[in-house]
Amino acid sequence: MGFLGSLLGIIGFGIGIPLGLLLGFLLFIYVEPGDVKEPISRPIHEFDTNSLLDILPEIPLWVKHPDYDRIDWLNKLLSDMWPYLDKAICGVIKSTAEPVFAECIGKFKLKSVEFKNLSLGTIPPSIHGIKVHETNENELVFEPAVRWAGNPNITLVLKLLSLQITVQLVDVQLFAAPRIILKPLVPTFPCFASIAVSLMEKPHLDFGLNLLGGDVMAIPGVYQYVQDTIKKQVASLYLWPQTFEIPILDGSVGSTKKPVGILHVKVVRAIKLLKMDLLGASDPYVKLSLSGDKLPAKKTSIKMKNLNPEWNEDYKLTVKDPESQVLQLHVYDWEKVGTHDKLGMQIVPLRLLTQHETKEFTLNLVKNTNPNDPHNKKWRGKLVVELTFKPFIDDSELFSGSLHGSGKREDMVGKGSEDVSLNRAGLLLVLLQGAEDVEGSHHNNPYAVVNFGGEQKKTKTIKKTRDPCWNEEFQFVLEEAPLKEKIRIEVMSRRTGFSFRRKESLGYVDINLNDVVHNGRINEKYNLINSRNGVLHVEIRWKVI
């Protein structure tokens, strides 16, 4: 029977395969398929919001908003660099957190706090679009839309008395829209001095927190409380206009220090100066300047044939760093022919001064600042000066006060703040950043001339260009606010080789300083008068003392 069953199985297999193939062929040839129903198609505008969210993935911002740019290349870069960024960021987190942990040890019976695991996971954040803002400021502003659904493994181990508590952060989701500002732009690598970060809206943060093996966030009421607390804390610290600033370059290297006040110098008199002329007395005058200042030194009048001259002359110098700058005083004997003889010198550190307090100094003149030089023991006379340092009023003080719901300040808004800025002396700062599309009839070697208050100041000449970039600042110390005055800035071009016209005007602009005084600052681009397409970029500040 076994043999017969096997034989029948072989025969059935041999007959079944050809018969099945023949039957399938006949069905394929002679049986017509039924009508296939076409899928129902509907215009997308007929769907409501919930239906669209069901059938479409999350739409990136560069699709919804035309002012956002698509940057797939940056996401690819983040993806490739993420393993290295993960280690670098975790290293910073660890080095920052360890001192904080050290301060907590000993408090609340806590014996130790340490990271058991610290990794941001394998999933990098993605940027759904980036928006770049164009401003007249010396800065670069952009806003990336950051999305991160990560799988970090961050585990803390706390030893509390005899207990060991494990806290683990998992399943983090972060949606944020930061504003990143690189400022100021400087001619030193990496070409910006600091990074300022602020949030344009409250971030969305979701995460799981495992404590002793259980998810704390699953406890009713805890999740919403933690969410609200984090959003409030982050908003109070970093929500615009609050910023988190990261310095990149040292101020002395990356950017020029801004003026912080005015030094009032009164050169009173000199006592028993050296007699340099064989047939008569000396003809003294004083040169005074601040260390680190590139402006020309100021000079007193010349007192002819006088070893005990009295000047009683006042001068104002712009101070940038009162802690490190010194006032340099040099007394010379004027000569009609040849170089002027040096009678003596002395310095006064500004850190010896108290703000708004006038202090008199009687200085023994020396040959130089080397204390070991034997020539400094020789009598050279004395110089009497009076010094007063007056710092500028900060904008936060000028416009201080609590905020109304409308965003207006209570204390200094309106007449109060205007009286402070109008009734005081101050410093007018004129920064000529550059020009665009300036064109001369004979040559294009532009420079700018600033005319104000009877003074004329010039920038350097940029050769063979229609878009010069000067980035030069000029200062005018004024006794009162220039409410009814104008400043004229003219772009000129001078020849460098052979030309029939040595100079020619490329356009000018007259700026009313009334707005500068009331606002404290303007930063605008002005169309040049008598120029086809020329534009001048100027920043003007008014600092009150």
Side-chain angles (χ1 to χ4, degrees), residues 234-264:
V234 172
S236 64
L237 295 175
Y238 307 121
L239 193 64
W240 191 88
Q242 304 291 332
T243 60
F244 174 65
E245 190 161 343
I246 306 170
I248 302 298
L249 295 176
D250 179 58
S252 60
V253 177
S255 60
T256 303
K257 291 185 177 180
K258 298 296 182 182
V260 297
I262 298 293
L263 177 67
H264 294 254

Side-chain angles (χ1 to χ4, degrees), residues 61-62 65 67-71 74 126-135 139-147 176-182 196-201 240:
L61 285 178
W62 58 266
H65 301 287
D67 52 348
Y68 276 84
D69 296 324
R70 181 178 182 178
I71 47 171
L74 185 55
S126 62
I127 300 177
H128 282 216
I130 189 169
K131 178 166 60 175
V132 180
H133 295 273
E134 293 185 6
T135 67
E139 62 188 13
L140 177 62
V141 183
F142 58 96
E143 296 178 9
V146 182
R147 303 288 187 268
R179 171 176 289 180
I180 302 174
I181 305 176
L182 309 181
V197 182
S198 59
L199 295 172
M200 303 310 297
E201 57 186 29
W240 191 88

Side-chain angles (χ1 to χ4, degrees), residues 365-385:
L365 297 176
V366 295
K367 182 179 181 181
N368 52 51
T369 56
N370 184 4
N372 299 321
D373 191 339
H375 294 91
N376 287 333
K377 297 180 180 179
K378 179 181 177 181
W379 175 264
R380 295 177 178 273
K382 294 185 177 182
L383 182 65
V384 180
V385 295

Side-chain angles (χ1 to χ4, degrees), residues 258-259 392-395 425-429 520 541-545:
K258 298 296 182 182
F392 295 130
I393 297 178
D394 190 68
D395 293 340
L427 179 69
L428 188 70
L429 298 168
R541 295 174 180 265
W542 171 244
K543 291 287 188 179
V544 181
I545 58 177

Side-chain angles (χ1 to χ4, degrees), residues 295 298 428 449-458 474-478 486-488:
L295 297 175
K298 297 183 181 296
L428 188 70
V449 181
V450 181
N451 293 284
F452 178 71
E455 294 185 66
Q456 185 179 90
K457 300 184 179 183
K458 301 178 181 180
F474 303 103
Q475 303 172 1
F476 300 90
V477 181
L478 306 177
K486 293 183 179 181
I487 187 170
R488 169 167 289 197

Side-chain angles (χ1 to χ4, degrees), residues 243-474:
T243 60
F244 174 65
E245 190 161 343
I246 306 170
I248 302 298
L249 295 176
D250 179 58
S252 60
V253 177
S255 60
T256 303
K257 291 185 177 180
K258 298 296 182 182
V260 297
I262 298 293
L263 177 67
H264 294 254
V265 182
K266 183 176 183 179
V267 182
V268 182
R269 62 184 176 272
I271 304 171
K272 296 182 180 180
L273 295 175
L274 285 177
K275 180 180 178 181
M276 302 299 292
D277 298 334
L278 296 176
L279 301 178
S282 298
D283 306 322
Y285 70 93
V286 182
K287 291 177 66 175
L288 54 154
S289 62
L290 286 174
S291 61
D293 197 346
K294 297 180 181 180
L295 297 175
K298 297 183 181 296
K299 299 180 182 179
T300 66
S301 59
I302 301 171
K303 300 298 181 180
M304 305 300 292
K305 302 184 185 304
N306 196 337
L307 298 181
N308 296 280
E310 290 193 11
W311 287 284
N312 291 312
E313 297 177 6
D314 295 315
Y315 301 91
K316 299 180 180 66
L317 304 175
T318 305
V319 179
K320 295 183 178 180
D321 189 353
E323 292 299 320
S324 63
Q325 284 187 293
V326 298
L327 173 64
Q328 301 169 337
L329 299 157
H330 295 266
V331 185
Y332 290 91
D333 176 29
W334 179 82
E335 296 291 343
K336 189 174 183 179
V337 180
T339 58
H340 301 175
D341 296 325
K342 186 175 181 180
L343 298 178
M345 61 87 62
Q346 193 52 270
I347 62 172
V348 181
L350 300 190
R351 63 176 179 272
L352 301 179
L353 303 178
T354 303
Q355 295 181 3
H356 301 288
E357 181 180 319
T358 301
K359 190 172 184 180
E360 182 178 283
F361 292 86
T362 302
L363 308 170
N364 293 318
L365 297 176
V366 295
K367 182 179 181 181
N368 52 51
T369 56
N370 184 4
N372 299 321
D373 191 339
H375 294 91
N376 287 333
K377 297 180 180 179
K378 179 181 177 181
W379 175 264
R380 295 177 178 273
K382 294 185 177 182
L383 182 65
V384 180
V385 295
E386 294 179 359
L387 306 180
T388 309
F389 173 59
K390 295 183 178 180
F392 295 130
I393 297 178
D394 190 68
D395 293 340
S396 60
E397 298 177 12
L398 186 61
F399 299 100
S400 61
S402 59
L403 280 171
H404 287 303
S406 60
K408 294 185 178 180
R409 301 274 181 184
E410 286 182 349
D411 299 341
M412 301 292 289
V413 163
K415 184 177 179 180
S417 61
E418 290 182 4
D419 290 342
V420 171
S421 61
L422 302 186
N423 298 332
R424 291 176 177 263
L427 179 69
L428 188 70
L429 298 168
V430 181
L431 175 61
L432 296 180
Q433 297 192 3
E436 302 172 7
D437 289 334
V438 290
E439 184 177 6
S441 302
H442 302 275
H443 38 71
N444 288 315
N445 305 308
Y447 66 96
V449 181
V450 181
N451 293 284
F452 178 71
E455 294 185 66
Q456 185 179 90
K457 300 184 179 183
K458 301 178 181 180
T459 68
K460 59 181 178 290
T461 301
I462 309 295
K463 297 181 180 180
K464 298 181 180 180
T465 181
R466 294 178 56 186
D467 303 303
C469 181
W470 299 295
N471 198 30
E472 293 188 40
E473 186 176 75
F474 303 103

Side-chain angles (χ1 to χ4, degrees), residues 160-189:
L160 186 62
L161 296 177
S162 58
L163 298 176
Q164 182 169 307
I165 302 174
T166 302
V167 181
Q168 184 180 22
L169 182 68
V170 295
D171 299 333
V172 175
Q173 293 186 12
L174 174 64
F175 304 149
R179 171 176 289 180
I180 302 174
I181 305 176
L182 309 181
K183 65 175 185 178
L185 302 179
V186 295
T188 304
F189 190 80

